Coordinates of all heavy atoms in Angstrom, one line a residue:
M26 N 120.2 141.0 47.5 CA 120.5 140.1 48.6 C 119.3 139.6 49.3 O 118.4 140.4 49.6 CB 121.4 140.9 49.6 CG 121.8 140.1 50.8 SD 123.5 139.6 50.7 CE 124.2 140.6 52.0
A27 N 119.3 138.4 49.7 CA 118.1 137.8 50.4 C 118.6 136.8 51.4 O 119.7 136.3 51.4 CB 117.1 137.2 49.4
K28 N 117.7 136.5 52.3 CA 118.0 135.5 53.3 C 117.3 134.2 53.1 O 116.0 134.2 52.9 CB 117.7 136.1 54.7 CG 118.7 135.8 55.7 CD 118.5 136.6 57.0 CE 119.9 136.9 57.6 NZ 119.8 137.6 58.8
C29 N 118.0 133.1 53.3 CA 117.3 131.8 53.1 C 116.3 131.6 54.3 O 116.7 131.8 55.4 CB 118.4 130.7 53.2 SG 117.7 129.1 53.3
P30 N 115.1 131.3 53.9 CA 114.1 131.1 55.0 C 114.3 129.9 55.8 O 113.8 129.7 56.9 CB 112.8 130.9 54.2 CG 113.2 130.5 52.8 CD 114.6 131.1 52.6
K31 N 115.1 129.0 55.4 CA 115.4 127.7 56.1 C 116.5 127.8 57.1 O 116.4 127.5 58.3 CB 115.6 126.6 55.1 CG 114.6 125.5 55.2 CD 115.0 124.3 54.4 CE 113.9 123.2 54.5 NZ 114.3 122.1 53.6
C32 N 117.7 128.3 56.6 CA 118.9 128.3 57.5 C 119.4 129.7 57.7 O 120.3 129.8 58.5 CB 119.9 127.4 56.9 SG 120.6 128.0 55.3
G33 N 118.8 130.7 57.1 CA 119.2 132.1 57.4 C 120.5 132.6 56.7 O 121.0 133.6 57.0
T34 N 121.0 131.8 55.8 CA 122.2 132.2 55.1 C 121.9 133.3 54.1 O 120.8 133.3 53.5 CB 122.7 131.0 54.2 OG1 123.1 129.9 55.1 CG2 124.0 131.4 53.4
D35 N 122.8 134.3 54.0 CA 122.6 135.4 53.1 C 123.0 134.9 51.7 O 124.1 134.4 51.5 CB 123.4 136.6 53.5 CG 122.8 137.3 54.6 OD1 121.6 137.3 54.7 OD2 123.6 137.9 55.4
V36 N 122.1 135.1 50.7 CA 122.4 134.7 49.4 C 122.5 136.0 48.6 O 121.6 136.9 48.5 CB 121.2 133.9 48.7 CG1 121.6 133.4 47.4 CG2 120.9 132.7 49.7
A37 N 123.7 136.2 48.0 CA 124.0 137.5 47.4 C 123.4 137.7 46.1 O 122.8 138.8 45.8 CB 125.5 137.6 47.3
K38 N 123.4 136.7 45.3 CA 122.9 136.9 43.9 C 121.7 135.9 43.6 O 121.8 134.7 43.9 CB 124.0 136.6 42.9 CG 124.8 137.8 42.5 CD 125.7 137.5 41.3 CE 126.5 138.7 40.9 NZ 127.4 138.4 39.8
P39 N 120.7 136.4 42.9 CA 119.6 135.6 42.5 C 120.1 134.7 41.3 O 120.9 135.1 40.5 CB 118.5 136.5 42.1 CG 119.2 137.8 41.8 CD 120.5 137.8 42.6
V40 N 119.5 133.5 41.2 CA 119.8 132.6 40.1 C 119.1 133.2 38.8 O 119.6 133.1 37.7 CB 119.3 131.2 40.3 CG1 120.0 130.2 39.4 CG2 119.4 130.8 41.8
K41 N 117.9 133.7 39.1 CA 117.1 134.2 38.0 C 116.3 135.4 38.4 O 115.9 135.5 39.6 CB 116.2 133.1 37.6 CG 115.8 133.0 36.1 CD 114.9 131.8 35.9 CE 114.3 131.9 34.5 NZ 113.3 130.8 34.3
E42 N 116.0 136.3 37.5 CA 115.2 137.5 37.8 C 114.3 137.8 36.7 O 114.7 137.6 35.5 CB 116.1 138.7 38.0 CG 116.8 138.7 39.3 CD 117.6 140.0 39.5 OE1 118.7 140.1 38.8 OE2 117.2 140.9 40.2
W43 N 113.1 138.2 37.0 CA 112.2 138.5 35.9 C 111.1 139.5 36.4 O 110.9 139.6 37.6 CB 111.6 137.3 35.2 CG 110.6 136.5 36.1 CD1 109.3 136.6 36.1 CD2 111.0 135.5 37.0 NE1 108.8 135.7 37.0 CE2 109.8 135.0 37.6 CE3 112.2 134.9 37.4 CZ2 109.8 134.0 38.5 CZ3 112.2 133.9 38.3 CH2 111.0 133.4 38.9
D44 N 110.4 140.1 35.5 CA 109.4 141.1 35.8 C 108.0 140.4 35.5 O 107.9 139.7 34.5 CB 109.5 142.4 35.1 CG 110.7 143.2 35.6 OD1 111.0 143.0 36.7 OD2 111.2 144.0 34.8
I45 N 107.0 140.7 36.3 CA 105.7 140.3 36.0 C 104.8 141.5 35.8 O 104.8 142.4 36.6 CB 105.1 139.4 37.2 CG1 105.8 138.1 37.2 CG2 103.6 139.2 37.0 CD1 105.3 137.2 38.3
Q46 N 104.1 141.5 34.7 CA 103.2 142.5 34.4 C 101.8 142.2 35.0 O 101.4 141.0 34.9 CB 103.0 142.6 32.9 CG 104.2 143.1 32.1 CD 104.4 144.6 32.2 OE1 103.7 145.3 32.8 NE2 105.6 145.0 31.7
P47 N 101.2 143.2 35.7 CA 99.9 142.9 36.3 C 98.8 142.7 35.2 O 98.9 143.2 34.1 CB 99.7 144.2 37.1 CG 100.5 145.2 36.4 CD 101.7 144.5 35.8
K48 N 97.8 141.9 35.6 CA 96.8 141.6 34.7 C 95.9 142.8 34.4 O 95.5 143.1 33.3 CB 95.9 140.5 35.2 CG 96.6 139.1 34.9 CD 95.8 138.0 35.5 CE 96.6 136.7 35.3 NZ 96.0 135.6 36.0
Q49 N 95.6 143.5 35.5 CA 95.0 144.8 35.3 C 96.0 145.8 35.0 O 97.1 145.8 35.6 CB 94.2 145.3 36.6 CG 93.4 144.2 37.3 CD 94.1 143.6 38.5 OE1 95.3 143.3 38.4 NE2 93.4 143.4 39.5
K50 N 95.7 146.7 34.1 CA 96.8 147.6 33.6 C 97.2 148.6 34.7 O 98.2 149.3 34.6 CB 96.3 148.4 32.4 CG 96.4 147.4 31.2 CD 95.9 148.1 29.9 CE 95.9 147.1 28.8 NZ 95.2 147.7 27.6
K51 N 96.3 148.8 35.7 CA 96.6 149.8 36.7 C 97.7 149.3 37.8 O 98.3 150.1 38.4 CB 95.3 150.1 37.5 CG 94.6 151.3 36.9 CD 93.5 151.7 37.8 CE 92.9 153.1 37.4 NZ 91.8 153.5 38.3
G52 N 97.7 148.0 38.0 CA 98.6 147.5 39.1 C 100.1 147.8 38.8 O 100.5 148.0 37.7
P53 N 100.9 147.7 39.9 CA 102.3 147.9 39.8 C 103.0 146.7 39.2 O 102.5 145.5 39.4 CB 102.7 148.1 41.2 CG 101.7 147.4 42.0 CD 100.4 147.5 41.3
K54 N 104.1 146.8 38.5 CA 104.9 145.7 38.0 C 105.6 145.1 39.2 O 105.9 145.7 40.2 CB 106.0 146.3 37.1 CG 106.0 145.8 35.7 CD 107.3 146.1 35.1 CE 107.2 146.8 33.8 NZ 108.5 147.2 33.3
V55 N 105.7 143.8 39.1 CA 106.4 143.1 40.2 C 107.7 142.5 39.7 O 107.7 141.8 38.6 CB 105.5 142.0 40.8 CG1 106.2 141.3 42.0 CG2 104.2 142.7 41.4
H56 N 108.8 142.7 40.4 CA 110.0 142.1 40.0 C 110.3 140.9 40.9 O 110.3 140.9 42.1 CB 111.1 143.1 40.2 CG 112.5 142.7 39.7 ND1 112.8 142.7 38.4 CD2 113.5 142.2 40.4 CE1 114.0 142.2 38.3 NE2 114.5 141.9 39.5
I57 N 110.5 139.7 40.3 CA 110.7 138.5 41.0 C 112.1 138.1 40.9 O 112.8 138.1 39.9 CB 109.8 137.3 40.4 CG1 108.4 137.7 40.2 CG2 110.0 136.1 41.2 CD1 107.6 137.8 41.5
S58 N 112.7 137.7 42.1 CA 114.1 137.2 42.1 C 114.0 135.8 42.7 O 113.4 135.6 43.7 CB 115.0 138.1 43.0 OG 114.9 139.4 42.6
L59 N 114.7 134.9 42.0 CA 114.7 133.5 42.4 C 116.1 133.3 43.0 O 117.1 133.4 42.3 CB 114.4 132.6 41.3 CG 114.5 131.1 41.6 CD1 113.3 130.7 42.5 CD2 114.5 130.3 40.3
Y60 N 116.2 132.9 44.2 CA 117.4 132.6 44.9 C 117.6 131.1 45.2 O 116.6 130.4 45.4 CB 117.5 133.4 46.2 CG 117.6 134.9 46.1 CD1 116.4 135.6 46.1 CD2 118.8 135.5 46.0 CE1 116.5 137.0 46.0 CE2 118.8 136.9 45.9 CZ 117.7 137.6 45.9 OH 117.7 139.0 45.8
E61 N 118.9 130.7 45.2 CA 119.1 129.3 45.6 C 120.2 129.4 46.7 O 121.3 130.0 46.5 CB 119.6 128.5 44.5 CG 119.7 127.0 44.9 CD 120.2 126.1 43.8 OE1 121.4 126.2 43.5 OE2 119.4 125.3 43.2
C62 N 119.9 128.9 47.9 CA 120.8 128.9 49.0 C 122.0 128.0 48.8 O 121.8 126.8 48.5 CB 120.0 128.5 50.3 SG 121.1 128.4 51.7
P63 N 123.2 128.5 48.9 CA 124.4 127.7 48.7 C 124.6 126.7 49.9 O 125.2 125.7 49.7 CB 125.5 128.7 48.7 CG 125.0 129.9 49.4 CD 123.5 129.9 49.2
G64 N 123.9 127.0 51.0 CA 124.1 126.1 52.2 C 123.2 124.9 52.1 O 123.7 123.7 52.2
C65 N 121.9 125.1 51.9 CA 120.9 124.0 52.0 C 120.2 123.7 50.7 O 119.3 122.9 50.7 CB 120.0 124.2 53.2 SG 118.9 125.6 52.9
K66 N 120.6 124.5 49.7 CA 120.0 124.3 48.4 C 118.5 124.6 48.3 O 117.8 124.2 47.3 CB 120.2 122.8 47.9 CG 121.7 122.4 47.8 CD 122.4 123.2 46.8 CE 123.9 122.9 46.8 NZ 124.7 123.8 46.0
T67 N 118.0 125.3 49.2 CA 116.6 125.7 49.2 C 116.4 126.8 48.1 O 117.3 127.7 48.0 CB 116.1 126.2 50.5 OG1 116.2 125.2 51.5 CG2 114.7 126.8 50.5
R68 N 115.4 126.7 47.4 CA 115.1 127.7 46.4 C 113.9 128.6 46.9 O 112.9 128.0 47.4 CB 114.7 127.1 45.1 CG 115.9 126.6 44.4 CD 115.6 126.3 42.9 NE 116.9 126.1 42.2 CZ 116.9 126.3 40.9 NH1 115.9 126.6 40.2 NH2 118.1 126.2 40.2
F69 N 114.1 129.8 46.9 CA 113.0 130.7 47.3 C 112.9 131.9 46.5 O 113.9 132.4 45.8 CB 113.2 131.1 48.8 CG 114.5 131.7 49.1 CD1 114.6 133.1 49.3 CD2 115.6 130.9 49.3 CE1 115.8 133.7 49.6 CE2 116.9 131.6 49.6 CZ 116.9 132.9 49.7
R70 N 111.8 132.5 46.5 CA 111.5 133.7 45.6 C 111.3 134.9 46.5 O 110.9 134.9 47.6 CB 110.3 133.6 44.8 CG 110.4 132.6 43.7 CD 109.1 132.6 43.0 NE 108.9 131.4 42.2 CZ 107.8 131.2 41.4 NH1 106.8 132.1 41.5 NH2 107.7 130.1 40.7
E71 N 111.7 136.0 45.9 CA 111.4 137.3 46.6 C 110.7 138.2 45.5 O 111.2 138.4 44.4 CB 112.7 137.9 47.0 CG 112.5 138.9 48.2 CD 113.9 139.4 48.7 OE1 114.6 140.1 47.9 OE2 114.2 139.1 49.8
A72 N 109.6 138.8 45.9 CA 108.9 139.7 45.1 C 109.1 141.1 45.5 O 109.0 141.4 46.7 CB 107.4 139.3 45.1
K73 N 109.4 141.9 44.5 CA 109.5 143.3 44.9 C 108.6 144.2 44.0 O 108.6 144.0 42.7 CB 111.0 143.7 44.6 CG 111.5 144.8 45.6 CD 112.9 145.2 45.3 CE 113.9 144.5 46.2 NZ 115.3 144.8 45.9
R74 N 107.9 145.1 44.6 CA 107.0 145.9 43.8 C 107.8 147.1 43.1 O 108.6 147.7 43.8 CB 105.9 146.5 44.6 CG 104.8 145.6 44.8 CD 103.7 146.4 45.5 NE 102.5 145.6 45.5 CZ 101.3 146.1 45.9 NH1 101.2 147.4 46.2 NH2 100.2 145.4 45.9
L75 N 107.6 147.3 41.9 CA 108.2 148.4 41.2 C 107.2 149.5 41.2 O 106.1 149.3 40.9 CB 108.7 148.0 39.8 CG 109.6 146.8 39.8 CD1 109.9 146.5 38.3 CD2 110.9 147.1 40.5
A76 N 107.7 150.7 41.5 CA 106.8 151.9 41.5 C 106.1 152.1 40.2 O 106.7 151.9 39.2 CB 107.5 153.1 42.0
Ligands
ZN27 ZN1 119.6 127.7 53.3

């Protein structure tokens, strides 16, 4: 769940999700979620660090 940065609508499901591997092997993996707001059609990403 994420909030649209433009209009504040809660978006329940991401359109797309993927993981990014860090370039340095030591860094944490990052999980990216791409959301599209149903209200204003803004697309925004949310990055989450995986332990
Ligand atoms: Zn919106």
Side-chain angles (χ1 to χ4, degrees):
M26 183 103 113
K28 220 169 212 182
C29 172
K31 243 190 182 173
C32 68
T34 301
D35 283 328
V36 187
K38 268 193 179 176
V40 201
K41 212 178 167 189
E42 282 183 289
W43 67 94
D44 288 334
I45 289 181
Q46 295 283 355
K48 282 177 185 170
Q49 312 101 318
K50 286 179 184 169
K51 269 191 170 181
K54 238 198 236 174
V55 179
H56 186 79
I57 308 286
S58 303
L59 178 71
Y60 293 90
E61 190 180 71
C62 174
C65 66
K66 303 293 177 194
T67 297
R68 286 191 163 205
F69 56 100
R70 288 182 198 179
E71 204 177 63
K73 213 183 258 178
R74 274 189 177 193
L75 303 175

